[in-house]
Amino acid sequence: ADAVARRAAAERGALNAEGFALLLRDRDPEVRAALARRGDLPQELLERMAGDRHPVVREAAAESLRQSDDALSRLAFDRVESVRLAVARNRNAPPTALDVLASDGSAEIRLLVAGHPRASEPVLQRLLNGRGDRAERAAGERLRSGRP
């Protein structure tokens, strides 16, 4: 089957365990990313996709609201910024992942952490780093409001 047909199957096809396993090994990273975005992907496979060699797949795995805290915490260390951004945007990202991302070199990631619903007080404190950027201001406002 061509990549378009495999991607369609990964996105919305009726898949059994064998179908999931087959698409998980597909050579096209867009097919694997489409599979990672499925709500019915077995949890074990979703977590395995967080370790995929291609960043577009890891990014899709990081976007999943069902992704495990352990996998999201590992993805917070990813060398590819788009993967770390996906973790920061995931409203279920655990405080352990947010703690890592609070020190990220990306201002956009730090700003997402500052506004994240699961950012704990220690995470917000980490953003008070003297940079004077928007993330630091947002974290400071949250801490002053008493609603971290």
Side-chain angles (χ1 to χ4, degrees):
D2 68 353
V4 174
R6 294 190 322 272
R7 195 170 308 137
E11 288 171 350
R12 58 191 166 273
L15 297 174
N16 57 17
E18 185 179 322
F20 281 122
L22 184 65
L23 291 170
L24 184 70
R25 295 187 306 270
D26 197 279
R27 69 184 180 280
D28 184 340
E30 292 296 335
V31 170
R32 298 192 312 275
L35 188 66
R37 291 185 184 99
R38 284 183 68 123
D40 62 343
L41 180 68
Q43 188 68 32
E44 174 190 332
L45 299 182
L46 177 60
E47 290 179 28
R48 190 181 317 163
M49 296 186 91
D52 193 275
R53 68 186 177 278
H54 200 283
V56 74
V57 180
R58 295 193 308 274
E59 183 179 339
E63 291 169 355
S64 174
L65 298 178
R66 297 185 308 112
Q67 188 57 271
S68 72
D69 286 359
D70 284 348
L72 288 169
S73 294
R74 284 191 309 276
L75 288 166
F77 287 101
D78 201 279
R79 67 187 184 282
V80 178
E81 184 174 334
S82 63
V83 175
R84 298 190 315 273
L85 268 168
V87 174
R89 287 185 179 119
N90 186 324
R91 71 174 184 260
N92 291 335
T96 52
L98 298 173
D99 189 50
V100 170
L101 296 174
S103 300
D104 198 274
S106 163
E108 183 179 2
I109 288 174
R110 290 191 314 277
L111 185 59
L112 286 166
V113 171
H116 198 283
R118 292 189 72 188
S120 63
E121 187 171 336
V123 167
L124 295 173
Q125 290 285 346
R126 184 179 297 278
L127 290 165
L128 304 180
N129 52 24
R131 288 184 177 159
D133 62 6
R134 290 174 51 207
E136 183 172 10
R137 289 192 300 273
E141 287 172 21
R142 282 187 69 187
L143 287 166
R144 282 189 298 278
S145 74
R147 293 187 315 272

